[in-house]
Amino acid sequence: MERSLVELLAKKRDGDALSAAEIARLVQSYMEGSFADYQMSALLMAIFFRGLDDAETVALTEAMLHSGRVLDLSSVPGTKVDKHSTGGVGDKVSLCLAPLVAACGVPVPMVSGRGLGHTGGTLDKLEAIPGFRTEIASERFAEIVAKVGTCMIGQTREIAPADKRIYALRDVTATVECIPLIVASILSKKLAEGIDGLVLDVKVGRGAFMKDETRARALAEVLVRVGTRAGKKVVALLTDMDAPLGCAVGNANETREAIDVLHGGGPADLVECTLALGAEMIVLGGKAATTADARRLLAQAIARGDGARVFEKMIDAQGGDPRVVSEPTRLTVAPVEVVVRAPVGGFVASVDALAIGLAAVVMGAGRARADATVDHAVGISVCAKPGAEVGAGDALARIHVHAAADAAAIAERIGGAFVIRPEPGHGPSPLVRERLGA
Ligand code: URA
């Protein structure tokens, strides 16, 4: 006889593995209303303490994925590959990465999120482009990916609705920090894009969701194993998020820096992150045999301006002003610039990504609550990255605000994010700490 839902709850509470059919029934019953919020909360807590094995995590991912619609990209030829970052400060990689990878022949369908707390979101950066729309119907999304090579949209109500409801419960039941639940949450949304391959950028460090390297590696390992068992090609890179990525923080500011990368410029760490992730995507997409070959293709796409052209076409297709790519000064910037100066000379030992991200939220560039709006024009530009030598009075950062009165407290906060030592340290930590996957 079929067990009742309460018996299934007791099964997990007692540490036994649930079958795929049982997990599917629990999620479906929750979505239909016959398994209540308080029962799902109890299940989440049981999972928090008892864990899920890989088969259960695959089953939960698939149950959440099939709670909504899987985008149909069968009309788009080729192996479709996306990237997902667990989020950080100054992480504008998607904006330059997707057009570059698409220019190398790999279609990139991308469903992105908004910033929350100290981490920024791709949609907010894209919406700094005048007219740009991130709400696009799924048929049009497939058309744009087929025609341009990439399209970047926001999550619709049809994509993994179970994740949205379960995440809201996790948020208020202290069950967010649970690796199988994080994996099912991330992968259910990504697999709904209709992709064949996924490259994960698992950030680790002060400004990351996972601050500890052991936990970040454990998350990356489960993401790769579960994604692979779900039938996708998956690679993960563990990348540094102790300091902000690149120099620009804030929406229009970050979009400008991503455009800079498309034109062959940009800070070294941002370029390296883009090339490292892009090379993995191109190999998964079957357009190069090795990451070294893929890097050559990416370098060519930058040098010939192919990535910039794809970005222009994508912006145009999504209702934005494509002229921002050749004329980035068209992007908004707040009128008052204040320079944060080094109090002493020496070497920058660290720049605290979390402190910079929180300062950006206070300035209005990020949101403390999911329903808040963001100011695209304000931003911070880090002038001295870890390892840099500075003299007393040199610029550590520049901030852009609407009024000088807004600046003093922010400038003090940002100054506090820099540690300056008299001796040179080891310089910046390597950007890619580890690679996991096939
Ligand atoms: N990001 C997600 O999408 N889900 C989680 O559970 C955590 C981070």
Side-chain angles (χ1 to χ4, degrees):
M1 209 179 68
E2 194 175 70
R3 291 183 203 232
S4 73
L5 296 172
V6 176
E7 282 171 328
L8 296 184
L9 193 45
K11 192 175 172 188
K12 184 42 60 187
R13 178 202 64 197
D14 295 341
D16 294 330
L18 295 165
S19 72
E22 288 168 341
I23 290 175
R25 193 149 68 87
L26 285 163
V27 173
Q28 200 182 350
S29 304
Y30 178 57
M31 294 309 282
E32 286 167 2
S34 49
F35 191 60
D37 272 352
Y38 48 82
Q39 292 175 301
M40 181 53 91
S41 301
L43 178 65
L44 293 170
M45 193 57 87
I47 292 173
F48 186 92
F49 283 114
R50 295 296 195 173
L52 293 178
D53 65 24
D54 283 359
E56 289 176 291
T57 313
V58 172
L60 181 60
T61 304
E62 288 183 345
M64 283 164 50
L65 164 69
H66 293 297
S67 69
R69 187 168 163 197
V70 179
L71 298 179
D72 178 12
L73 294 182
S74 53
S75 59
V76 182
T79 305
K80 284 136 307 241
V81 183
D82 190 13
K83 184 258 333 184
H84 175 78
S85 159
T86 55
V89 179
D91 183 2
K92 70 284 287 175
V93 167
S94 292
L95 276 70
C96 40
L97 174 74
L100 282 170
V101 171
C104 296
V106 178
V108 184
M110 198 175 260
V111 179
S112 302
R114 297 193 178 279
L116 186 59
H118 71 278
T119 62
T122 299
L123 297 184
D124 296 322
K125 294 164 204 182
L126 288 168
E127 284 172 354
I129 300 169
F132 195 92
R133 282 184 296 110
T134 55
E135 281 179 31
I136 305 261
S138 31
E139 292 70 23
R140 178 76 184 128
F141 175 66
E143 260 173 47
I144 298 175
V145 177
K147 196 162 160 225
V148 175
T150 185
C151 182
M152 299 187 203
I153 59 168
Q155 195 183 344
T156 65
R157 255 177 276 138
E158 298 166 325
I159 293 182
D163 174 61
K164 193 164 184 183
R165 285 190 55 199
I166 291 173
Y167 192 88
L169 276 189
R170 287 168 58 205
D171 210 17
V172 293
T173 55
T175 51
V176 168
E177 298 87 352
C178 170
I179 287 179
L181 294 178
I182 298 171
V183 168
S185 169
I186 292 175
L187 291 182
S188 62
K189 286 174 290 202
K190 283 285 144 181
L191 302 192
E193 293 172 354
I195 48 172
D196 307 297
L198 179 63
V199 175
L200 293 149
D201 182 4
V202 178
K203 301 280 185 204
V204 54
R206 269 193 292 264
F209 180 58
M210 291 284 178
K211 302 195 181 342
D212 167 75
E213 188 158 328
T214 310
R215 292 269 299 160
R217 183 178 304 109
L219 173 63
E221 281 169 358
V222 183
L223 279 165
V224 170
R225 285 204 310 267
V226 170
T228 307
R229 280 181 76 147
K232 307 297 169 190
K233 304 179 186 189
V234 187
V235 168
L237 299 183
L238 228 59
T239 71
D240 186 76
M241 187 34 76
D242 270 334
L245 185 62
C247 298
V249 177
N251 299 296
N253 199 23
E254 293 193 39
T255 304
R256 263 189 298 274
E257 192 167 82
I259 290 172
D260 214 15
V261 172
L262 290 173
H263 292 312
D269 59 343
L270 174 61
V271 173
E272 176 53 23
C273 196
T274 307
L275 295 180
L277 293 164
E280 298 289 352
M281 291 171 78
I282 290 169
V283 171
L284 289 192
K287 294 292 176 188
T290 65
T291 51
D293 289 346
R295 276 178 178 255
R296 278 190 281 279
L297 292 180
L298 287 163
Q300 237 173 46
I302 293 173
R304 292 181 182 163
D306 297 342
R309 265 189 298 280
V310 170
F311 197 40
E312 275 173 349
K313 286 185 192 158
M314 187 196 86
I315 293 172
D316 193 38
Q318 297 191 232
D321 181 353
R323 291 173 300 176
V324 297
V325 179
S326 51
E327 301 165 54
T329 50
R330 287 182 177 273
L331 289 160
T332 177
V333 58
V336 178
E337 182 183 277
V338 174
V339 181
V340 180
R341 297 191 182 278
V344 291
F347 296 85
V348 176
S350 60
V351 183
D352 184 337
L354 177 60
I356 298 278
L358 291 174
V361 175
V362 173
M363 291 168 72
R367 49 172 82 68
R369 291 165 40 130
D371 57 356
T373 52
V374 297
D375 182 341
H376 294 122
V378 293
I380 304 163
S381 297
V382 173
C383 309
K385 300 268 291 173
E389 185 173 3
V390 290
D394 282 358
L396 295 177
R398 293 175 196 280
I399 58 181
H400 287 273
V401 286
H402 291 287
D406 301 343
I410 297 286
E412 198 180 321
R413 251 186 122 111
I414 291 172
F418 289 77
V419 174
I420 299 171
R421 297 236 161 85
E423 304 296 330
H426 303 297
S429 8
L431 183 88
V432 179
R433 296 195 189 182
E434 209 168 316
R435 177 188 182 281
L436 297 97

